[in-house]
Amino acid sequence: MKNAVGREIPEEIIEITGKEPFQGNYYRDDKPIKLHGPTIRPVMNNQKSKLVANIREALEKCEAHDGMTVSFHHHFREGDLIVNMVMKEIHDMGLKDIRICASSLGKAHSALVPMIEDGTITNIESSGVRGGIGEAISKGKLKGLAIMRSHGGRVRSIATGESHIDIAFIGAPTADDYGNLRGIGGKADCGVLSYAIVDGNHADHCVAITDCLVPYPNFPAHISQTKVDYVCVVDEIGIPSKIATGAAKPTTDQRKLLMAQYCTDVVVNTPWFKDGFSYQTGVGGASIASTQYLADIMRERNIRMGFGVGGLTKAMCKLLEDGMADVMLDVQDFDLDAVRSLKNVNHHRIPAAVYANPLNKGAVVNKLDYVVLASLEVDVHFNCNVVVGSDGMITGAQGGHPDTAQGAKCAIVICPLLQGRIPAICTDVTTVTTPGESIDVVVTDYGVAVNPARQDILKALKEANCVPLKTIEELRDIAYSIVGEPDKVEFEDRIVGIIEARDGTIMDVVRQIKEI
Amino acid sequence: MEIKKTAVAGTLESSDCMVTIEPAKKGIELELESSVIRQYGRQIRKVALTTLRRLGVRNARVSIVDKGALDCTIKARVECAAMRAAEYEGRINWGGMIR
């Protein structure tokens, strides 16, 4: 059955997963849903200690078993040590058929590949996967299906009970012996615990792992003692230098600077750029440069940002520090400047649910004016692919891409026309992660294309005469005239993963890569 | 054009390719390794073989390690490697065998 972005979703996948094909962005708007609550063991006995000696004891006390689902957060990014530590213990216990429900998995977790091969891990739910795990999934080594979902989609899936977590493992930079957890302080300071809050709320068992035990009460707690069963102290939960790796040096790449300039021109010449506007941007060189250009124009025209949101960087936090933005809403910190900025009273932590869950009573992304995103590929239908490489290998993550793109009034994608020989603007993306209906403007180094559905934006940019406007087809044709039209990548029939839309429907499927 | 010795042209930088041509007894043997082989393998082979034909190379073992080079680059590297391997010192027929 073809879904709303024209992708064929096979019947067998609809049957196995019980999901519907994607029906368009607002399919589940205003439709009643039932939320899920966990089954917990109350702690009434005031003699009970929550401290456990090691991960093994925590696993045993939480009744770890074959076929269970364990969850993790990714605030330690490529410096994360928790996932490998816990999975090694699960592997050593001989448990099988484990489902991992992670907010994201990266190159730091390639140690899981042998566990995928030997059947310890048979299902993976994540924003995405990079490195060895992505390759293993693409090569068909995972027995079950990999489910890629956005940050908002993950909260939705857990809150509705679609993903039921047996044991959540929450790495906490600081914790007390009764399970009050904070994302700040300690040795592995990641600033926030936003992605893990839903795990605390909905998992049956919750184990905090820390390398910095502090006196009770560790307040204000980001995750409360009322959610945590056990606290385990280990030597090291993260490698600090790999946690805040997003501090990109200011780029000198002329191509990126050009795209940054086009992007800023688009923002300042569209109707939402006025006092109190809201903004989210990424960590790429062009995004950061564009934030700096934007700051100059805000200063010039005396325009303040109402709020900024997202994974935050130095460039965004500087707006707050300089008094040019009123509020920052934080779900993740990409560099140490962002972590330090949390001291500012107007820099607020928000849970992933508040940030992006599509099925609550309205997430922050719905209030966004602008979001600036990147993409591996954009096709002539404005569909974006941020998960599967042009060679068919799983190599990226949805992150908040589909959430913010849908929520924002003006969603801008910055994407160089060519990545080496690979045309980023193409006829059909390898895999759809964000539907074209969410994407409004595509900025490339060869010109800017506006989604024809957004005549208001097109009109504003034409009148301003600020950027070279092209149709998306023209951009694709320029790309193909330089590098040639790529052959379609060949896949096996077997489906190894699904790209889930924000609302839990199926956006696309990922097939096993053909050996060559 | 007769291939007399082993010769190399190009680099392993991204967007370039390294072409090695060696003498062979019978026909063209082409080995390709490419970072974009799934999307452009067919086209790279076609460009390499067309270029060799135009140069009049009939017997050679050719190996290309491609890092996402454009067709014009692949063509230039094949031409250069072939001429080195053939110890070609005559006038270059621009617009003929080289175009």
Side-chain angles (χ1 to χ4, degrees), chain A residues 72-75 77-78 80 83 100-106 109 124-130 133 149 151 154 195 332 396-399:
Chain A
F72 302 96
H73 72 71
H74 73 288
H75 286 289
R77 304 177 69 224
E78 293 300 344
D80 178 70
V83 173
I100 291 184
C101 173
S103 58
S104 206
L105 293 169
H109 306 122
I124 291 178
E125 302 174 15
S126 178
S127 165
V129 287
R130 293 187 171 86
I133 302 179
R149 44 171 72 107
H151 291 329
R154 177 175 192 264
Y195 296 127
Q332 189 176 4
Q398 293 208 29

Side-chain angles (χ1 to χ4, degrees), chain A residues 226-410:
Chain A
T226 62
K227 317 283 184 187
V228 176
D229 297 270
Y230 298 103
V231 177
C232 181
V233 182
V234 298
D235 292 340
E236 218 178 5
I237 57 172
I239 303 164
S241 62
K242 292 187 179 172
I243 295 172
T245 48
K249 274 186 280 178
T251 182
T252 53
D253 180 338
Q254 292 304 309
R255 189 167 72 147
K256 285 182 185 159
L257 291 175
L258 180 71
M259 293 192 290
Q261 188 63 60
Y262 287 164
C263 176
T264 304
D265 287 338
V266 169
V267 171
V268 302
N269 288 296
T270 38
W272 307 278
F273 184 65
K274 52 184 193 236
D275 213 34
F277 77 106
S278 57
Y279 193 76
Q280 174 169 344
T281 189
V283 285
S287 307
I288 287 174
S290 134
T291 308
Q292 283 155 351
Y293 291 147
L294 187 68
D296 293 340
I297 297 177
M298 288 165 63
R299 216 171 274 126
E300 211 175 281
R301 299 198 197 165
N302 204 18
I303 287 176
R304 290 171 62 81
M305 187 182 287
F307 73 88
V309 60
L312 294 177
T313 57
K314 178 183 180 181
M316 285 292 278
C317 294
K318 189 155 189 317
L319 293 175
L320 186 67
E321 194 185 313
D322 292 350
M324 294 165 67
D326 294 333
V327 170
M328 286 295 150
L329 304 178
D330 189 343
V331 277
Q332 189 176 4
D333 296 315
F334 288 120
D335 54 39
L336 288 175
D337 295 86
V339 172
R340 276 185 218 111
S341 168
L342 278 157
K343 281 188 294 223
N344 190 313
V345 291
N346 292 314
H347 184 149
H348 302 283
R349 296 173 174 89
I350 56 170
V354 175
Y355 170 51
N357 178 4
L359 301 192
N360 61 21
K361 296 180 185 177
V364 167
V365 293
N366 295 359
K367 299 292 278 178
L368 266 175
D369 290 325
Y370 297 96
V371 64
V372 178
L373 298 162
S375 189
L376 296 170
E377 298 175 325
V378 184
D379 69 22
V380 293
H381 318 288
F382 287 84
N383 296 324
C384 289
N385 165 28
V386 295
V387 172
V388 181
S390 300
D391 59 356
M393 203 73 89
I394 302 173
T395 185
Q398 293 208 29
H401 202 285
D403 302 310
T404 53
Q406 180 179 349
K409 293 186 183 70
C410 181

